[in-house]
Amino acid sequence: MTTITKYNDEYVAFWNEVLVTKFERYRNILMGGMSYHSETPLRKLHLPEGANALDVGCGWGDTALALARKVGPSGSVTGLDCCEAFLEKGRTDAASSGMDNLRFIAADVQNYPFEPEYDLCFSRFGMMFFGNPVAAMRNIHRALKPGGELLFITWRKLEENPWLSAGKETLLQFLPPPGDDAQVCGPGPFSMSNPEVVIRQLQAAGFTDIKVEPIDGPVTAGDSIEQAIEFQLAIGPAGEIFREAGKTAERRRPMIEHALQQKLAAYQDSRGKVIMESASWAYSAKKQSH
């Protein structure tokens, strides 16, 4: 197993030092919400038994396990993520499932020394945070065999994702937007929401046969209104506003929580869960055959 001995850039450091703990706390929301957007493209994906697949930004490893089931025992899957803490769940789940055809590596995809050995590279919400997306895409291109395919999911515009935009709109009524010196996780979850930009990036990285498809559907933004409020204040655009406002945010927390409760109550179902709409893009591209 390869592990990161030091963080290669400020974004990787921010993920490991700030976001990992928060993501673990709300795994039920994030994994459930994210899995909705990978189920459709993975169901359509034709990946023959014996194939070799790479999962970039694999997080807790659920998509790597899904890929490992597709390629079967004669195939193999490598899951890469910059956060070792996430990968432990993937290793545990793989072991409990009796799978020995996948491995998890803690590494920075932008500069990992790939060999051209993969038939497919998949990524669910792992591509939007690279400091240099074209450089990362070129390295992924290097990892693919001739004719290999890249399939990745990114969020569409913030306005098309109420489960993240509603909290931001509410907090901006009480707190200022983050300043230019705010700590961030990278270009951000919506940095690849414009297909025209992403297509040009893929072309610059050497990819061809580029296609884009929309995915729309509901996600659970909290198992209760209380958890939905906690989530908004911890993660995403609203969480960034709250974190950067520091002591001012804490002083205004009661007013903010009351406003969020009123906003999110409209999305509660009969079980008390907060169900909201979400929207993503599924991009696919290929490395030319020689």
Side-chain angles (χ1 to χ4, degrees):
M1 181 187 72
T2 302
T3 57
I4 297 175
T5 55
K6 64 177 181 178
Y7 301 138
N8 296 305
D9 62 34
E10 61 182 303
Y11 300 144
V12 173
F14 186 72
W15 273 98
N16 281 274
E17 294 169 2
V18 177
L19 292 183
V20 163
T21 302
K22 294 182 178 183
F23 270 57
E24 288 288 349
R25 191 185 314 152
Y26 300 105
R27 187 193 296 165
N28 66 311
I29 297 175
L30 292 164
M31 185 180 286
M34 292 188 295
S35 64
Y36 178 90
H37 290 271
S38 55
E39 286 170 359
T40 298
L42 285 179
R43 190 165 53 245
K44 294 179 180 178
L45 177 66
H46 175 67
L47 191 61
E49 287 197 18
N52 190 11
L54 172 68
D55 190 343
V56 167
C58 66
W60 293 295
D62 55 311
T63 50
L65 268 70
L67 290 168
R69 286 189 285 268
K70 274 185 173 287
V71 303
S74 60
S76 63
V77 175
T78 300
L80 259 71
D81 199 279
C82 69
C83 301
E84 175 69 34
F86 289 157
L87 300 179
E88 284 307 310
K89 177 170 173 54
R91 295 189 186 102
T92 300
D93 289 347
S96 63
S97 300
M99 291 185 175
D100 58 5
N101 65 336
L102 75 162
R103 60 175 180 157
F104 292 98
I105 299 174
D108 185 346
V109 177
Q110 290 181 104
N111 50 37
Y112 188 77
F114 289 117
E115 296 292 333
E117 58 182 312
Y118 296 100
D119 301 287
L120 170 80
C121 174
F122 177 78
S123 181
R124 182 191 64 197
F125 303 126
M127 299 285 287
M128 304 98 65
F129 305 104
F130 294 122
N132 188 332
V134 173
M137 289 175 178
R138 283 179 179 151
N139 207 28
I140 291 169
H141 186 272
R142 186 178 300 114
L144 292 170
K145 299 175 183 177
E149 181 179 2
L150 168 62
L151 172 61
F152 64 99
I153 317 300
T154 71
W155 293 117
R156 298 218 302 269
K157 293 180 181 179
L158 177 62
E159 309 87 77
E160 298 179 74
N161 283 279
W163 76 290
L164 292 172
S165 64
K168 178 179 180 180
E169 293 166 2
T170 301
L171 263 73
L172 286 176
Q173 298 173 25
F174 301 91
L175 299 171
D180 293 338
D181 59 347
Q183 281 190 302
V184 295
C185 57
F190 304 101
S191 65
M192 290 186 167
S193 61
N194 186 334
E196 293 181 3
V197 173
V198 177
I199 288 170
R200 288 197 296 269
Q201 291 172 333
L202 286 165
Q203 290 170 336
F207 285 97
T208 61
D209 195 18
I210 301 165
K211 298 181 177 67
V212 190
E213 294 184 10
I215 303 173
D216 296 87
V219 296
T220 301
D223 286 341
S224 65
I225 195 82
E226 292 79 16
Q227 189 188 42
I229 291 170
E230 291 173 4
F231 174 79
Q232 293 293 331
L233 297 183
I235 292 174
E240 181 183 5
I241 294 168
F242 193 83
R243 181 183 68 250
E244 290 297 319
K247 293 180 180 179
T248 301
E250 289 299 336
R251 286 197 303 270
R252 297 177 183 175
R253 179 188 281 268
M255 293 186 295
I256 293 170
E257 290 184 344
H258 178 71
L260 282 172
Q261 184 170 25
Q262 289 185 313
K263 182 80 170 182
L264 299 174
Y267 298 96
Q268 273 192 296
D269 67 7
S270 59
R271 302 164 296 171
K273 293 179 179 289
V274 178
I275 310 295
M276 305 179 78
E277 290 301 312
S278 62
S280 67
W281 292 118
Y283 292 92
S284 63
K286 290 188 176 180
K287 180 175 181 176
Q288 281 187 323
S289 300
H290 292 322

